[in-house]
Amino acid sequence: MRIKNFASRRRDAAQRAAHEANMRLKHFLHARFWRGHGVHSPFVYHVVRHVITGRHRDATLRNAANTYKEKLLDDRTEITVPSIGAIVRQPRQRKVREIAQQTATSEKYGRLLARLAADMKPNGILELGTSLGVSTAYMALARPNTKIITIEGVEQIADIARRHLHEAGFKNVSVLCGDIDATLDEAINALPEARVEMAFIDANHCYDATMRYFRALAARRADRCLLVFDDIFWSDEMTRAWREITADPDVMTTIELPRMGLAFFRRGCSKEHYAVRW
């Protein structure tokens, strides 16, 4: 049975890797609008040219975020990681530094999250899937006075994230622990005016879970709202969810990057979709 389960997991991993490679290649071949060239919408031109692809002088933020990540990489604490989300496996012992090496948000996309937060200027930010708090740190550095609520499903990982975020001096971040479906309403109610202005979704990478999160967030959105979905090409299910989100009639503008998808709710705009080479 163990051998059969192992073989099944390896097969699933190979299929996901092949799907992701194929989708990223398709994105590269069909993506346009690098640095905003060819974009007619002033709003999208601003986001692409000045937030995504422009040259950014954010050395202070980058150094602070790298310091946070380096402390995680020095943390040899061992924790038990249970099976949660899209990948089913036996609980296992892992060091914090190993989790940071394998799952932490990259500097490229962390800095993008920071720039999006700085540009959107939300009063509150919601994150689904804290992990060790690297992406949380990027957004908190960009918006030190914005209330940030982040949800992590594994208690031991949530405790590690709390400790490191506290030691780094982030006073505007609250880490909730629990199943996202059970805690999402509580988290949204704790946001300013109980409305979602910006959310980063990097949690259960299944179609059903992703669509549940999307519908719950969309139902409680502010007039001006940005939902950022990570790993949109990670699996066939994630790509299917992203395609459905881009087709949703309430989502006016979507920007597709090689890894992330940005879904903007904006009143009074025509529907637009852009695949951006980055």
Side-chain angles (χ1 to χ4, degrees):
M1 183 62 72
R2 286 185 177 180
I3 295 175
K4 185 179 292 186
N5 290 339
F6 175 77
S8 177
R9 291 197 299 271
R10 291 296 297 268
R11 183 177 62 252
D12 291 345
Q15 289 174 347
R16 287 196 301 271
H19 172 82
E20 184 172 19
N22 181 50
M23 291 306 301
R24 288 200 177 202
L25 177 60
K26 286 182 177 180
H27 175 87
F28 177 80
L29 293 174
H30 296 103
R32 299 172 53 210
F33 312 114
W34 186 74
R35 290 191 180 277
H37 300 305
V39 175
H40 299 293
S41 163
F43 169 76
V44 177
Y45 178 83
H46 168 77
V47 173
V48 174
R49 179 68 179 86
H50 298 289
V51 181
I52 298 175
T53 64
R55 294 183 179 181
H56 305 285
R57 298 177 181 178
D58 51 6
T60 301
L61 179 144
R62 185 168 64 250
N63 291 338
N66 285 338
T67 298
Y68 181 85
K69 187 180 290 188
E70 286 167 7
K71 290 186 177 180
L72 289 171
L73 294 173
D74 288 337
D75 192 334
R76 298 176 182 273
T77 305
E78 282 198 357
I79 61 175
T80 301
V81 180
S83 174
I84 188 170
I87 299 178
V88 178
R89 58 163 66 98
Q90 293 295 320
R92 53 180 175 162
Q93 291 291 115
R94 297 186 66 190
K95 291 181 179 179
V96 170
R97 61 179 299 177
E98 294 173 359
I99 300 173
Q101 287 172 339
Q102 296 176 13
T103 66
T105 299
S106 68
E107 180 180 316
K108 178 178 181 177
Y109 281 94
R111 291 168 63 194
L112 173 59
L113 285 173
R115 294 194 298 270
L116 287 167
D119 189 70
M120 286 289 293
K121 297 180 174 61
N123 295 306
I125 298 174
L126 180 59
E127 180 182 36
L128 309 187
T130 313
S131 188
L132 297 173
V134 175
S135 53
T136 321
Y138 275 104
M139 293 185 286
L141 286 164
R143 295 290 294 172
N145 297 317
T146 288
K147 186 172 187 177
I148 299 177
I149 299 175
T150 178
I151 306 174
E152 170 56 43
V154 180
E155 187 172 354
Q156 285 187 295
I157 294 179
D159 289 340
I160 296 291
R162 284 193 194 99
R163 174 165 62 81
H164 279 275
L165 289 166
H166 175 75
E167 290 174 356
F170 295 115
K171 300 183 183 301
N172 59 325
V173 177
S174 297
V175 180
L176 299 182
C177 182
D179 179 81
I180 291 175
D181 289 307
T183 57
L184 189 51
D185 274 346
E186 175 189 350
I188 295 175
N189 287 334
L191 292 170
E193 299 184 11
R195 286 287 179 267
V196 179
E197 297 174 82
M198 177 176 174
F200 176 47
I201 299 92
D202 183 21
N204 187 339
H205 285 14
C206 296
Y207 169 83
D208 289 339
T210 301
M211 294 309 300
R212 284 199 309 273
Y213 304 153
F214 167 70
R215 295 185 186 106
L217 294 169
R220 303 284 297 278
R221 70 183 185 273
D223 290 341
R224 185 169 172 263
C225 173
L226 166 62
L227 303 182
V228 182
F229 294 87
D230 198 18
D231 293 324
I232 56 174
F233 297 141
W234 183 80
S235 68
D236 177 69
E237 289 196 26
M238 283 299 296
T239 303
R240 182 157 57 99
W242 171 242
R243 295 290 180 244
E244 191 165 319
I245 290 165
T246 62
D248 188 279
D250 291 329
V251 178
M252 289 294 99
T253 302
T254 47
I255 298 176
E256 182 176 294
L257 301 173
R259 171 174 166 172
M260 286 182 180
L262 315 181
F264 293 89
F265 294 87
R266 301 166 57 239
R267 287 187 175 180
C269 302
S270 57
K271 193 167 182 62
E272 305 168 299
H273 175 73
Y274 295 86
V276 177
R277 183 175 295 180
W278 186 45

